[in-house]
Amino acid sequence: MKLIRYGEPGKEKTGVNIDGVNYDTSAFGEDYNEQFFENDGLNRLKKYLDENKVQLQKIADSERIGSPVARPSKIVCIGLNYKDHAEETGAPMPPEPVIFFKSTTALTGPFDNVIIPKNSVKSDWEVELAIVIGKKASYVEESEALDYVAGYCLHNDVSEREFQMERNGTWDKGKGCDTFAPIGPWLVTPDEVSDVHNLRLWLKLNGETVQDGSTSNLIFNVPFLIAYVSQFMTLLPGDVISTGTPAGVGLGMKPPVYLKPGDVMELGIDGLGTAKQQAVAYAKN
C-alpha cells in the first residue's frame, strides 16, 4: 500500500495511492498516527480497501499533499551514514551511528515551501530514506528489526549548517527549524519495496542533479539502525528514523553552495515517489 494524507496543514485527511491515482480513505475513520499503527491499522486498512475499493472517491489533483504520517512522537536522524558524504564534509567515518533529532514541528508536506530561517546563511539539502516504525520497539534484535517497519518514505533532511556546526552544542539547532522535515508523498509498506538496500535516491537543485546515490552504500543498514536506536530509546509506532544522505550536499561543494529564496529542490527515491520544494525567505506572520 501507499498511504497519503492530504488537505490543509493541521487538517489533513487520509488516503491511498493506487496505480498512480490518489483516493480518499477518510471514511476509514482514523488518521495515520501512533494509535493507528499500534492497533494493527495497516492490516485493518487493507481489509477496508478490499471491501470498499469500488466505492473509493478520487482526490482532486489540486489538493495539497501532506506528510503521510501524522506528527510522530520523534524524528530520529542518522548522520554521516554514507562514506562519500562523510568524506565530502571532512568528517571521520563514524564507528557507531551518529544520532540527532529533528523537532516534530519541522514536519511538513513533500510539496510545501521550505522556509529559510531568520538569520540563516547556510541552509542546505539532504535527500534521505526514512523508516516509519510500526510497533513499539525497545532493545530490538537486529535479526527481528524489519518486523518493526510499517513502511518507508522519502525525506529531505534540510539543515542549517551554521546553526548545526558553528553555534555550539549538538546538531539539533540546525536540524529542527520549521519546514525542515518534508516527508512523502507516500508511506510505502514493505511488501512493495523489493530491496530497501538497493534504492536509488537523488536530488536536483534548480534542475541540476547534485545528489545521486544508492542505499546499497549505507554504512549502517536498516535492520542495524532500528536495533541500534532501540538500545537507547523506545521507538513508538509512527516514529521516523531517517537514515542519512549521500554525497552532493551544499556544504561539501567547493566553494559551498547554500539555499537562497527561489531555489527549487526536486528529489526522489525508487518506488517511494518524488517531491518538490521551493525555498522561501522567512517572513513574520
Side-chain angles (χ1 to χ4, degrees):
M1 290 185 294
K2 294 182 175 72
L3 280 60
I4 66 166
R5 295 169 69 252
Y6 73 98
E8 297 178 37
K11 299 178 181 179
E12 288 91 349
K13 299 177 182 179
T14 61
V16 291
N17 180 283
I18 302 173
D19 298 329
V21 179
N22 292 333
Y23 295 93
D24 175 74
T25 62
S26 55
F28 179 70
E30 300 175 42
D31 202 353
Y32 301 150
N33 55 21
E34 181 180 340
Q35 290 71 34
F36 168 82
F37 293 109
E38 186 173 35
N39 291 293
D40 198 31
L42 288 173
N43 283 325
R44 291 186 294 105
L45 178 62
K46 185 177 186 302
K47 182 180 178 182
Y48 171 85
L49 293 174
D50 290 341
E51 294 173 350
N52 296 276
K53 189 172 182 178
V54 297
Q55 303 171 40
L56 294 177
Q57 298 296 310
K58 292 182 181 180
I59 298 169
D61 292 340
S62 59
E63 289 281 4
R64 168 187 175 269
I65 302 298
S67 164
V69 291
R71 186 181 296 177
S73 82
K74 48 191 170 290
I75 302 172
V76 186
C77 297
I78 308 300
L80 303 173
N81 199 26
Y82 287 78
K83 182 180 178 181
D84 56 0
H85 176 55
E87 289 173 346
E88 73 171 346
T89 60
M93 291 279 287
E96 295 185 47
V98 175
I99 294 176
F100 62 90
F101 292 89
K102 296 183 86 78
S103 63
T104 56
T105 49
L107 189 69
T108 191
F111 304 102
D112 292 341
N113 289 337
V114 165
I115 299 171
I116 298 174
K118 185 178 181 180
N119 302 318
S120 165
V121 294
K122 296 182 179 180
S123 289
D124 202 349
W125 56 86
E126 296 190 11
V127 60
E128 304 200 358
L129 168 73
I131 308 159
V132 179
I133 298 298
K135 58 183 180 180
K136 189 175 180 180
S138 179
Y139 298 107
V140 171
E141 295 292 333
E142 187 176 347
S143 61
E144 301 174 350
L146 291 180
D147 295 339
Y148 290 81
V149 176
Y152 302 101
C153 298
L154 170 64
H155 174 219
N156 188 357
D157 173 21
V158 187
S159 309
E160 212 298 341
R161 302 304 189 183
E162 182 186 25
F163 298 177
Q164 175 188 353
M165 306 170 77
E166 302 173 32
R167 296 288 295 272
N168 198 30
T170 63
W171 289 3
D172 304 294
K173 284 184 279 191
K175 295 287 189 172
C177 305
D178 290 353
T179 73
F180 269 27
I183 292 181
W186 310 319
L187 181 156
V188 181
T189 51
D191 59 294
E192 295 201 14
V193 180
S194 59
D195 183 359
V196 73
H197 298 116
N198 189 28
L199 302 177
R200 178 179 176 239
L201 65 170
W202 54 270
L203 186 144
K204 295 180 180 180
L205 179 67
N206 299 326
E208 178 183 352
T209 299
V210 290
Q211 291 188 275
D212 193 352
S214 171
T215 57
S216 63
N217 294 321
L218 286 167
I219 297 171
F220 304 107
N221 69 18
V222 169
F224 183 90
L225 290 175
I226 295 168
Y228 184 85
V229 174
S230 78
Q231 307 304 307
F232 302 98
M233 66 197 79
T234 295
L235 295 164
L236 297 177
D239 281 357
V240 174
I241 301 176
S242 199
T243 59
T245 197
V249 301
L251 173 66
M253 295 182 176
K254 296 182 174 30
V257 174
Y258 296 113
L259 293 171
K260 59 186 183 301
D263 283 347
V264 175
M265 296 167 283
E266 299 171 85
L267 56 152
I269 300 179
D270 288 349
L272 304 186
T274 61
K276 184 177 181 179
Q277 298 114 33
Q278 181 170 328
V280 300
Y282 169 83
K284 187 175 181 180
N285 292 332

